[in-house]
Amino acid sequence: MSITWIPGSRRRGGFEIRAYMGKIALGASVLAIIVYLIFPVIVVLAISFSAGNFLTFPPSGLSSRWYLAIARDPEWVSALEVSLQVGSLSATIACLLGVPAAFALVRYVIPAKALLSALILCALITPPIVTAISTYLFFVPLGLNNTVLGLACAHAVSGTPFVVINTAASLRSADRNLERAAIIHGAHPLWAVLHITLPIIAPGIVIGAILAFVHSVHELLVASFVLGGVGKPVAVKIWSGVQATSDPTIAAASAILIGLAVLTFASAAATQSLARRRSA
Amino acid sequence: MPLLLLLPCLIWISFFFLAPLAAMCWRSIASEGFSLEPYAVLFTSPLYTKVILTTVKTASIATVGALVLAYPLAYVLTTASRRLRALILVCVLVPYWVDIIVRSFSWLILLGDNGLINKMLMRLGVIAAPLALLYTAASVLVAMIQILLPLATIVLFGAMLRIDRTLLAAAKIHGASEWQAFRTIFLPLSLPGVYGAGLLVFVLALGFYVTPALLGSPRETMIAQTIMVEASQLLDWSQASAAGAVLLLITTAIAALYNRYFSLDRLWGGTDK
């Protein structure tokens, strides 16, 4: 930027200095904002390795005792299991619903397309408490409350938009001519989609599925209404623990969720860069 | 063909999302015979008036706070080099992937009487006794803004990427300073994005439950908490449903407004309106 010639810049030396100061101020404030964003995450991670009995930061010594406490506690283990079941089941359903929907929205001219896509996205902005009580009321006569299947079905609704968004983005950037070439050479259109297009857009679908999974694992209110009694998922378990805080077990459980989030984030990023390299 | 592809998704959404919402609305007016009493309570009882006011106030301040902090972050993201952009994006996205309960919980630890903030202030000699930082409107807002910030940043960043940077270069060639170019060109062009992000963040802020429940006092009670208490403790399902229906109506209206001016389609990179 310094080599661009600005007419009359020499006379306006004051501006240059002010612009420089402005840049420093901007950089400093952005740094402060990032610290504000990241710091709470670091705090929970640090406390989870605390050796002490209380939730203090900085922790008094390091240990992995709270992780062991979770691993030994059958309630925590079963909560993690339930979350994994609900998460993977709902992410699978979201893929089965979302991938075809993304094809329809990207490739066809549909009447009222804006309305349809708004309807799919709606689940993301509806207040969770509203979804929670309405799902509970609806599930009572169906007998779906207190079942893993019921919660997975409900979570699939809010997971679908993640799949649709990411699949649609991949589908838009994919080269459709490859599919056309296969069809010209005699392939059945469905075969071409399944064997040519689907592998190309797979990373987008995977990222959408991961997001849907993480969303389900984090979701609290629908989970606590539908599956809040016995066999509760980990978010509900953490929430009941957080309200009666006493020891760093909660921090360790939270750290496991953070680890899960970072892991999935890293795998999503890796999938994406792999896809980019393959297409390059 | 497109209908066939969309059908499973639409049926699922109708059955597991729209039908439950309809059931909730139905429950709000018909429990033992028809009655609009729950709605009358909603609009006349001082408790609900207070909770609704608190909710709107908290959500508004949190939205403005998130936008003010997200703006410089998104601006730097648009101008940064590739490496720096990736680094900042990771810093913005990692908290986004961390559970809201966990993030609120971490503020509980930081802001407590023995928390880091009080300890630091006392060591520096600014205060003698720990400040009551927790269970105040401020503690709720600090955590809510931190939770909403990643989303606000990403939406704003997307909007700012669509601004034509050559306009800024043109202004500078004609003698505008960096600040002048920003104020007269970039800022006005970015305002629609700010409004869009604001609406989205506001809708999400209205429904917050965990953060005010954990970090606020009864005075900071938001509508989601009241609905939770009505439904799970008082078992007054018609009252809870009525409050839920009103909350649903408000968020749907805001979403429709957003859709009208910014198009929800844009969220998945569809055509701009």
Side-chain angles (χ1 to χ4, degrees), chain A residues 61-155:
Chain A
L62 292 174
S63 80
S64 56
R65 56 187 280 207
W66 303 111
Y67 288 92
L68 290 174
I70 286 181
R72 288 200 192 110
D73 186 342
E75 259 190 62
W76 277 108
V77 173
S78 89
L80 281 166
E81 275 171 13
V82 169
S83 278
L84 288 179
Q85 280 170 15
V86 173
S88 41
L89 189 56
S90 67
T92 310
I93 299 172
C95 283
L96 293 177
L97 300 172
V99 173
F103 265 91
L105 287 170
V106 170
R107 290 206 166 165
Y108 294 93
V109 180
I110 313 167
K113 188 189 257 186
L115 190 73
L116 286 174
S117 42
L119 184 67
I120 295 174
L121 282 171
C122 231
L124 280 186
I125 49 171
T126 304
I129 186 73
V130 173
T131 320
I133 60 171
S134 58
T135 305
Y136 179 82
L137 282 173
F138 187 66
F139 277 3
V140 169
L142 298 176
L144 279 171
N145 283 320
N146 294 316
T147 63
V148 167
L149 182 70
L151 186 58
C153 288
H155 277 174

Side-chain angles (χ1 to χ4, degrees), chain A residues 37 46 51 85 94 114 130 141 190 193 227 237 239 253 262 266:
Chain A
L37 263 176
Q85 280 170 15
V130 173
L190 188 64
V193 166
L227 209 59
K237 174 88 177 136
W239 179 235
V262 171

